[in-house]
Amino acid sequence: MKIVSPHNPGNIFHFLLPVFILGMFSSCTLESHDTKTKQKILKEELRERGEVVVLTRNAPTTYYSRSQGKAGMEYDMVNAFAAHLGITPRFKVFANTAELFRALEQGEGDFIAAGVTITPERQDQYRFGPPYQHIQQEVVCHRQSNLPRTPAELSRVNIVIASSSSYEDRLNELRNVQTELQWVANDQLSTEEIFHKVAKREFDCTIADSHIVAINQRFFPNLVVAMPVSEEQQLAWLLPRDAEGLNGLIETWFATMKEARFFENVHHRYYAHIDVFDYVDTKRFYRHSRNRLPRYETVFQQAAETHNLPWTLLAAQGYQESHWNPKAKSPTGVRGIMMLTRNTAAELGIRNRLNPTKSIRGGARYLNQMKTRLPEDIQEPDRTWFALAAYNVGFGHLRDAMNLARQLEKDPYTWKNLKTVLPLLSRKTYYQHLPHGYARGTEPVRYVDRVRHYQDMLERQEREI
């Protein structure tokens, strides 16, 4: 028998350690059980309420309207979270970050979903959900400006930023070193509105997150990135400090959806088609949209309505095909605004491919036929991207790519997977065993990306009218 003596602290430690561990385990178990109980109660309260109120801002990176309805990365994420809880999201839309923070502090919503950057200053005051996207702050100026290339050169340009933004926090950090650095924090303008003023040279420069810059350079082609101004940062939903229960529900949902690669797929939906910015092509597009498109816009709208297509999609496809030139001709012999082959035109009953009205109507009908022939397992918006790819490369080659995807153990019904398989159609290792043989498989991938790119710009123009 071992005697525990008060004069033997080692023995006392060995005697008390299991009790201490058992106590800690019991405490953690109770705390975990208590947290789950609180989350369950909160979930029931939200279901009784029937909705979660989400504060966001109207911007192409978050939440916006388009011809097919509402869209945006934050919009899709919030809808999925609400569906998980069995409730409906109600969005309250604000113009800028300053308004969002004021609304949250006044209790107008449950949380902010608007591409908010995690910063130490905000962490002291609010609670953040799990991060879902990495970005970097960039200095953006008019391309004809005297661009700053170092932090020291920022003091010689006029900088305007949105107030209550992470950009202001970063500039305050820089001013500790660059004491002459000055800027204006505007609480009336959004980042996108400031972009517009920089594009018109009303301001020299601004600062914005890299994903916002990538999206908006297509709408404001005179903007150029002068320099990065921060290390990599993270975006997350932002909640009141005391919203521990709601944050727990969000964290649980995030963990589940991360395993399902949900966030990767949503990011792919909104950013995968945005390639390296092409200033010349973008300027040319806006010029043609002013000078050429008005002649054919009504025809695009009527043809799209007939086949239940967004007219901006059909018009964007027409631009990718011919730059809206009714007399366009390729070296392979395709002709007209929608660049129909002789055989396709004959199948559609079109004798004159150079007639713009007949070409547009024929193109719309042919695109719709591609969509109809696709397996039901392909859902929108991927169904549209598959149809565009078939329009470009041919339905037989598209079917080959889908079969090849199966052989490679990839889901053949998602565009994210198929766009990685299509380029393999030009490699002999693969195409020699396929029914339709060789195809320039990179072209339909590029084709779909460009059509989506032009459609985004048309949608933006339509919202501004």
Side-chain angles (χ1 to χ4, degrees):
M1 180 176 179
K2 190 170 185 178
I3 298 174
V4 178
S5 166
H7 302 292
N8 188 338
N11 286 338
I12 293 174
F13 176 77
H14 285 296
F15 175 74
L16 293 178
L17 182 59
V19 178
F20 176 69
I21 292 174
L22 181 61
M24 284 186 64
F25 178 77
S26 300
S27 175
C28 291
T29 302
L30 288 171
E31 184 177 342
S32 175
H33 182 268
D34 187 49
T35 300
K36 290 181 179 178
T37 301
K38 287 181 179 178
Q39 289 183 16
K40 185 176 180 180
I41 293 172
L42 176 59
K43 187 183 294 187
E44 291 304 318
E45 289 176 353
L46 287 170
R47 285 177 177 171
E48 287 181 14
R49 193 210 295 179
E51 66 177 14
V52 60
V53 182
V54 182
L55 310 177
T56 190
R57 70 186 191 94
N58 193 295
T61 53
T62 54
Y63 172 99
Y64 60 95
S65 297
R66 61 187 308 174
S67 56
Q68 302 99 311
K70 298 290 190 294
M73 186 165 171
E74 301 283 356
Y75 175 79
D76 287 358
M77 289 166 57
V78 168
N79 271 284
F81 172 62
H84 166 76
L85 296 179
I87 58 179
T88 302
R90 178 159 63 93
F91 292 91
K92 287 188 176 182
V93 184
F94 296 86
N96 53 52
T97 306
E99 290 184 7
L100 282 172
F101 280 92
R102 281 195 291 268
L104 186 69
E105 290 164 5
Q106 292 169 8
E108 294 185 33
D110 295 304
F111 63 91
I112 295 175
V116 179
T117 306
I118 300 174
T119 66
E121 294 81 6
R122 289 171 176 171
Q123 287 177 312
D124 289 340
Q125 189 174 355
Y126 304 98
R127 184 182 295 272
F128 278 99
Y132 57 84
Q133 191 171 354
H134 295 269
I135 54 89
Q136 187 176 33
Q137 293 184 28
E138 297 175 331
V139 178
V140 180
C141 310
H142 192 284
R143 63 176 51 251
Q144 294 180 355
S145 299
N146 187 9
L147 303 178
R149 296 301 188 185
T150 66
E153 294 179 356
L154 289 175
S155 58
R156 60 175 173 77
V157 294
N158 167 238
I159 300 174
V160 179
I161 59 170
S163 66
S164 300
S165 63
S166 57
Y167 319 138
E168 191 164 14
D169 295 336
R170 179 57 183 147
L171 287 172
N172 278 316
E173 292 176 359
L174 289 174
R175 189 155 59 181
N176 292 331
V177 178
Q178 308 295 333
T179 56
E180 296 181 358
L181 182 59
Q182 299 289 329
W183 65 87
V184 174
N186 191 302
D187 63 357
Q188 300 298 313
L189 300 175
S190 67
T191 299
E192 290 75 18
E193 289 171 324
I194 294 174
F195 278 155
H196 193 195
K197 290 186 176 294
V198 173
K200 294 194 298 183
R201 305 195 75 171
E202 293 181 23
F203 307 143
D204 292 339
C205 301
T206 188
I207 295 176
D209 294 335
S210 52
H211 70 301
I212 299 177
V213 177
I215 290 283
N216 280 278
Q217 267 191 305
R218 300 171 302 155
F219 310 140
F220 305 107
N222 286 325
L223 300 184
V224 64
V225 176
M227 57 183 283
V229 76
S230 77
E231 299 296 327
E232 188 177 82
Q233 297 177 303
Q234 295 177 313
L235 305 182
W237 291 349
L238 184 139
L239 302 84
R241 192 68 186 169
D242 60 357
E244 182 179 358
L246 179 58
N247 192 52
L249 292 177
I250 292 173
E251 287 179 341
T252 300
W253 175 75
F254 259 77
T256 302
M257 301 307 282
K258 192 172 183 180
E259 290 182 9
R261 308 185 77 172
F262 169 78
F263 303 105
E264 182 181 330
N265 291 333
V266 173
H267 187 272
H268 182 273
R269 184 180 307 161
Y270 288 100
Y271 292 96
H273 66 290
I274 300 173
D275 52 9
V276 177
F277 173 68
D278 187 332
Y279 171 75
V280 174
D281 179 70
T282 302
K283 292 290 286 186
R284 183 191 301 119
F285 172 84
Y286 282 120
R287 185 172 66 252
H288 289 332
S289 69
R290 291 191 303 270
N291 301 332
R292 294 183 180 179
L293 180 58
R295 284 175 256 169
Y296 313 113
E297 186 170 328
T298 300
V299 182
F300 278 121
Q301 290 171 344
Q302 292 172 345
E305 184 177 0
T306 299
H307 298 286
N308 196 28
L309 299 167
W311 84 267
T312 51
L313 173 75
L314 193 61
Q317 186 186 12
Y319 184 79
Q320 170 62 23
E321 291 286 357
S322 67
H323 286 191
W324 300 316
N325 175 8
K327 297 182 180 180
K329 181 179 180 180
S330 81
T332 58
V334 293
R335 303 293 305 269
I337 281 187
M338 301 304 288
M339 297 296 268
L340 301 173
T341 66
R342 189 182 299 277
N343 289 339
T344 299
E347 290 174 8
L348 296 170
I350 297 173
R351 293 184 179 180
N352 183 5
R353 289 179 289 166
L354 301 186
N355 182 302
T357 299
K358 291 182 179 180
S359 181
I360 292 170
R361 290 175 178 172
R365 181 180 165 192
Y366 187 62
L367 179 62
N368 188 57
Q369 287 179 359
M370 297 298 101
K371 290 185 71 173
T372 303
R373 293 177 65 182
L374 291 168
E376 293 181 0
D377 302 89
I378 304 173
Q379 303 298 314
E380 290 290 4
D382 287 13
R383 194 173 188 84
T384 296
W385 314 146
F386 273 67
L388 285 170
Y391 189 109
N392 175 260
V393 76
F395 202 87
H397 289 303
L398 183 78
R399 189 185 292 114
D400 281 352
M402 294 175 68
N403 289 331
L404 181 56
R406 290 188 188 92
Q407 295 172 27
L408 298 174
E409 299 184 346
K410 295 186 177 186
D411 183 354
Y413 302 129
T414 67
W415 179 244
K416 179 184 172 184
N417 285 333
L418 200 73
K419 70 186 295 186
T420 66
V421 175
L422 277 164
L424 302 180
L425 301 186
S426 62
R427 293 170 58 177
K428 189 175 182 179
T429 305
Y430 297 99
Y431 75 71
Q432 65 181 344
H433 303 296
L434 298 174
H436 296 86
Y438 171 86
R440 291 180 295 192
T442 302
E443 287 191 8
V445 176
R446 174 73 171 172
Y447 181 87
V448 173
D449 284 348
R450 299 305 289 176
V451 171
R452 295 178 65 183
H453 170 73
Y454 296 134
Q455 185 187 12
D456 283 349
M457 290 194 285
L458 286 175
E459 294 276 2
R460 172 63 179 253
Q461 286 182 314
E462 190 176 34
R463 291 197 297 271
E464 291 179 344
I465 295 175

